[in-house]
Amino acid sequence: MPMSLLIDARGHRCPVPTLKLRRALETQGHVTLLADDPMAQIDVPHFCNQNNHVLERAEADGAHWIFEVRTGRSA
């Protein structure tokens, strides 16, 4: 499993979780995002598709979602 930066965006409303994810992916190759805003289920996959990032995991865990995203940059 790759080293991953963990961003806990629970309690923040969209677009804040996606903005935090975008900022992290500027310097990190792999990010795990925790979000509890239901809009994140739509916003995060859309962000990944629009920016050529790879959504490796999108899973509900109780009252929040876990998203694992790998940057689309070539290594």
Side-chain angles (χ1 to χ4, degrees):
M1 174 176 268
M3 289 292 294
S4 184
L5 174 68
L6 176 64
I7 298 173
D8 187 349
R10 292 175 291 185
H12 294 280
R13 298 290 139 230
C14 284
V16 173
T18 305
L19 293 173
K20 288 178 176 279
L21 176 63
R22 181 184 74 187
R23 183 169 296 144
L25 286 169
E26 291 174 0
T27 59
Q28 302 293 316
H30 194 269
V31 176
T32 300
L33 173 69
L34 306 180
D36 58 2
D37 184 346
M39 286 302 297
Q41 300 171 52
I42 297 166
D43 288 354
V44 171
H46 180 74
F47 165 79
C48 291
N49 287 333
Q50 291 295 309
N51 294 280
N52 297 317
H53 297 307
V54 178
L55 180 58
E56 295 183 331
R57 176 180 175 204
E59 179 180 323
D61 183 17
H64 68 272
W65 279 76
I66 302 169
F67 300 97
E68 290 187 19
V69 179
R70 180 172 40 89
T71 186
R73 289 192 307 264
S74 298

